[in-house]
Amino acid sequence: MKFSQRIQNIKPSMTLAITAKAKAMSAQGDNVIGFGAGEPDFGTPENIKQAAIDAIHNNDTYYTPVGGTDKLKDAIIEKFKRDNALTYSRDQVIVSCGAKHSFYNLAMVLWDKGDEVIVPAPYWVSYPEMVTLADATPVIVETAQSNDFKITPEQLQAAVTPNTRAVIINSPSNPTGSAYTRTELEALAEVALKNNLMVVSDEIYEKIVFDGFEHVSIASFSEEMKKNTVVINGASKCFAMTGWRIGYLAAEADIVKAVNKLQGQSTSNPTSIAQAACVEALTGAKTESAIASMVDAFQQRRNVLMDRYAAIDGVTCYKPVGSFYSFPDFSAYYGRTYKGKTLNGSMDIADFLLEEAKVAVVPGIAFGADANQRLSFATSLQNIEEGLDRIQKALSLL
């Protein structure tokens, strides 16, 4: 069988691979504690589930317009106005099958061979791969833990070439939990406008922030910046709706029209029932209290996790201000050996912890940062305590 060059050019998702391996070990009887989850461990709020049930009973089970129902678009428009000080019209919003689908569609309609897209590292695993699928070139710009894993205006300017079309900003971030302040975003916006760069602003974790951090959308700074920004968001993370597969983007109408054309020849509309549920997620009176409870739990878990990292010799970790991920640096253990094998990178550490400690983490190399591991705290405090006990014990053997 001959496969396309397109599929040969991309790598499989390492996060999904680690999760699959951990599940296989669990199925064989191993007591594996997983820190790989990219989804909340909370159930979808009851009011949202009831809206889906009502949609089924009301026979809301047919095709919808390709880009989503007017009711959902109006709920998204109101959300942008309420939460982000952004004003859009229906022809500037399109609903897709998850935020990942939104980004993929965008890449397919905006970029071609020869185009460059700046991707700050650490990055979400799929950004570079989807840029590559569009035949464009991801330009990786490394950030540092000492700067809270944020790209600086100087780094952004230095990465710009005549072929640069866009820069991706993910705030709060997967995998680091870092987030940009208003002042930091204003400085990046200035560079973007100066160079006529499109900003792709992935704001999927906007409501999962800690310690009073204020999420700000870069698109809200000016009308000019709004025109140069595509905002991507969705229901998966903040509403604990990962399996419902609803994402959306807001942009200039010509971009949305192009995405709608592509989606019309690929998936067509997102599931009608999930769309009805998302309307309730965005407008329901009970939703915000459910989110607040979930965020409080995540913050408590983060605090415990940070205390545990501090007690492990050689491990350092940026304190996340958002999302439900931590990104500790394990590189102090590189070069050490166990049972005759030398551990030389994040893959080796991840394999060692899975085999020896029965703890599943995601190696940082998947996110463009080989010194680190990603540990999600979308798991119980009991699992966090037990998992870190196992990690600390295993590292002491090296």
Side-chain angles (χ1 to χ4, degrees):
M1 177 64 69
K2 181 182 181 297
F3 292 100
S4 70
Q5 191 60 48
R6 183 180 303 106
I7 196 64
Q8 294 180 60
N9 286 343
I10 65 168
K11 299 184 288 290
S13 169
M14 201 173 294
T15 54
L16 297 179
I18 291 290
T19 301
K21 184 174 181 180
K23 285 182 177 179
M25 290 176 63
S26 296
Q28 293 170 3
D30 289 324
N31 178 19
V32 176
I33 294 178
F35 289 100
E39 59 183 348
D41 57 319
F42 296 89
T44 303
E46 290 300 320
N47 61 309
I48 299 173
K49 290 192 284 189
Q50 187 59 52
I53 293 168
D54 292 344
I56 293 170
H57 287 314
N58 292 333
N59 291 318
D60 190 4
T61 54
Y62 298 96
Y63 292 132
T64 75
V66 167
T69 63
D70 284 347
K71 192 171 183 180
L72 179 51
K73 285 187 176 184
D74 288 345
I76 292 167
I77 289 166
E78 179 57 33
K79 171 260 178 295
F80 276 123
K81 189 178 298 184
R82 179 184 69 237
D83 296 346
N84 309 110
L86 286 166
T87 301
Y88 292 103
S89 53
R90 286 179 182 172
D91 63 351
Q92 293 177 303
V93 172
I94 182 166
V95 186
S96 302
C97 305
K100 178 184 280 191
H101 187 211
S102 298
F103 186 95
Y104 176 83
N105 284 344
L106 184 72
M108 293 300 114
V109 305
L110 285 189
W111 305 318
D112 279 314
K113 190 174 181 62
D115 292 336
E116 295 177 354
V117 178
I118 296 171
V119 184
Y123 45 71
W124 176 50
V125 293
S126 294
Y127 291 145
E129 302 307 319
M130 289 193 283
V131 171
T132 299
L133 277 170
D135 290 329
T137 301
V139 176
I140 309 302
V141 177
E142 294 187 6
T143 65
Q145 182 170 311
S146 59
N147 192 45
D148 298 345
F149 296 114
K150 300 174 188 177
I151 189 172
T152 66
E154 294 76 18
Q155 284 181 301
L156 178 57
Q157 182 61 60
V160 173
T161 76
N163 296 322
T164 307
R165 295 286 308 282
V167 58
I168 299 168
I169 301 294
N170 177 208
S171 179
S173 162
N174 174 7
T176 66
S178 178
Y180 292 86
T181 65
R182 177 184 291 273
T183 300
E184 291 165 338
L185 288 174
E186 286 173 341
L188 293 174
E190 184 177 343
V191 176
L193 289 176
K194 174 185 173 183
N195 294 278
N196 194 31
L197 298 184
M198 175 71 69
V199 174
V200 181
S201 183
D202 183 346
E203 303 179 15
I204 191 76
Y205 295 96
E206 67 168 340
K207 293 181 180 294
I208 305 175
V209 290
F210 313 125
D211 306 321
F213 184 88
E214 179 193 9
H215 168 79
V216 179
S217 177
I218 195 171
S220 68
F221 295 155
S222 67
E223 191 61 29
E224 185 182 13
M225 195 63 224
K226 179 185 165 192
K227 289 179 179 179
N228 270 59
T229 303
V230 177
V231 180
I232 293 178
N233 210 318
S236 293
K237 312 298 183 178
C238 296
F239 302 122
M241 293 176 68
T242 53
W244 299 76
R245 307 315 301 137
I246 294 290
Y248 53 88
L249 66 78
E252 288 296 281
D254 57 344
I255 294 176
V256 170
K257 184 178 180 180
V259 170
N260 193 80
K261 180 167 70 170
L262 174 66
Q263 189 161 299
Q265 295 291 9
S266 54
T267 61
S268 295
N269 63 276
T271 304
S272 60
I273 299 157
Q275 288 189 63
C278 192
V279 171
E280 175 64 21
L282 291 169
T283 64
K286 297 180 180 179
T287 304
E288 287 300 320
S289 61
I291 295 172
S293 296
M294 182 171 67
V295 172
D296 285 346
F298 283 144
Q299 181 166 321
Q300 182 184 6
R301 296 169 184 182
R302 179 209 59 175
N303 292 343
V304 171
L305 198 52
M306 295 303 297
D307 288 343
R308 293 303 306 265
Y309 290 144
I312 302 177
D313 184 46
V315 173
T316 61
C317 187
Y318 162 77
K319 187 176 184 179
V321 299
S323 79
F324 39 76
Y325 305 110
S326 62
F327 206 55
D329 185 327
F330 283 79
S331 60
Y333 289 88
Y334 293 178
R336 301 194 188 187
T337 60
Y338 182 66
K339 293 183 178 178
K341 180 181 179 180
T342 302
L343 307 183
N344 289 319
S346 60
M347 277 293 298
D348 288 345
I349 291 288
D351 285 340
F352 165 72
L353 291 177
L354 188 55
E355 296 297 331
E356 179 61 34
K358 301 296 186 290
V359 172
V361 299
V362 185
I365 194 170
F367 310 97
D370 198 28
N372 302 74
Q373 304 287 330
R374 191 190 77 174
L375 278 76
S376 167
F377 44 93
T379 188
S380 68
L381 282 171
Q382 181 180 345
N383 281 347
I384 289 171
E385 294 282 14
E386 173 64 21
L388 268 292
D389 283 345
R390 294 184 188 185
I391 289 173
Q392 190 166 13
K393 182 179 179 181
L395 291 175
S396 70
L397 301 175
L398 297 176

